[in-house]
Amino acid sequence: MSVSAAYNYTGQCADRATMGRIDGSNFQTPVSGGKVLHTIDLTAPEVFHYSAEIDTDDDPKKAPDTQVLDTSKVKYKGEQALHLRGTPAAKSNPSINPAEPNPYIGGLGVNFPASPVTLTANDYVQIRVFPTTSAALILEIYEDDGGNPNEIDKYPANYWLPKKDDDFYKAVVQLKPTGKWQTISIPLSKFVDWNKKTSCSTPIPGINENVGNGKFDPKKGEAMAFQLTFVSDSWGPAVKEVYVGQEVKFIRKGGEKK
């Protein structure tokens, strides 16, 4: 697997700048003979949106008031899609985690109070993308390990990341414009357990809190959440743009029973 170069991140836990980062071109093959276990409609009413914010009205306190990410439902090159467009917020922006190693723009997600299927580490997540600029998507999966099986424990004061008992997995997919739709199928084994403690000895909220059991093991009827965060491939004011297919699919290779 080819790993793209790290972003320009040299803060505490700098190893996080490369963890989970994959080149999307290595996974542009649909899962052969796979069985779709679950489908997420990114245009459904329950999908929520989030974004870094900047100050555009010159108030004395320079408080952020305008989202940097624009999203719209469109039909693009023959496919129903979401159009994501924006520029990354500055590293010092108060609306984002100061330890965040990615040039953050914004994203969307959906919560499942009770997952209708059993998902295992042998599954894939499949998305369709049409990037018109080089950029990256962070695929994030939250799953319940304890507490209320119908809830993901998220903490608003900690950038809505897990508070306890739950695992947070992600893969950062490098996107390159090819002038066509791309099907990317990512094995769950490529996702990184983001809130599990690593070699970084400094405890940093939202980065290495060591919560959950370290396994992707949501069972049928347990809570799960999926988020898709759009980030730039570099810090700076360049506009980034991608079209994302309306459906995200969870697929079991070969459709074998477990």
Side-chain angles (χ1 to χ4, degrees), residues 49-233:
H49 297 253
Y50 49 91
S51 174
E53 296 183 343
I54 57 175
D55 174 39
T56 59
D57 61 4
D58 294 325
D59 61 289
K61 294 184 178 181
K62 301 294 183 182
D65 54 44
T66 303
Q67 294 191 346
V68 302
L69 176 67
D70 292 324
T71 61
S72 59
K73 180 181 176 181
V74 298
K75 187 172 184 178
Y76 188 73
K77 302 293 186 179
E79 296 199 20
Q80 296 297 326
L82 280 179
H83 180 211
L84 307 181
R85 185 179 189 275
T87 58
K91 295 181 186 180
S92 59
N93 188 295
S95 70
I96 64 175
N97 189 334
E100 172 59 58
N102 301 288
Y104 177 69
I105 300 175
L108 61 152
V110 61
N111 296 320
F112 301 97
S115 179
V117 295
T118 301
L119 300 173
T120 72
N122 293 320
D123 294 332
Y124 292 74
V125 179
Q126 183 170 286
I127 61 173
R128 294 271 290 165
V129 295
F130 196 121
T132 61
T133 60
S134 59
L137 287 174
I138 304 178
L139 281 70
E140 307 171 24
I141 301 173
Y142 300 77
E143 53 94 3
D144 178 284
D145 279 323
N148 187 338
N150 294 318
E151 293 181 1
I152 298 292
D153 298 307
K154 289 192 178 184
Y155 184 37
N158 190 24
Y159 307 98
W160 296 96
L161 291 172
K163 184 176 181 180
K164 62 178 182 178
D165 297 330
D166 300 322
D167 283 298
F168 165 35
Y169 290 86
K170 78 179 187 180
V172 184
V173 184
Q174 303 292 118
L175 302 177
K176 298 177 182 178
T178 61
K180 61 182 180 181
W181 280 99
Q182 305 167 30
T183 298
I184 300 179
S185 303
I186 307 169
L188 285 174
S189 61
K190 300 298 182 184
F191 282 68
V192 170
D193 187 354
W194 195 253
N195 56 354
K196 202 69 178 172
K197 198 168 186 65
T198 60
S199 58
C200 179
S201 59
T202 303
I204 301 177
I207 297 293
N208 63 339
E209 295 169 292
N210 201 30
V211 300
N213 65 0
K215 299 177 182 179
F216 183 75
D217 57 358
K219 300 176 177 62
K220 186 174 182 179
E222 288 188 345
M224 190 183 80
F226 176 84
Q227 291 180 206
L228 193 64
T229 301
F230 185 41
V231 299
S232 176
D233 56 345

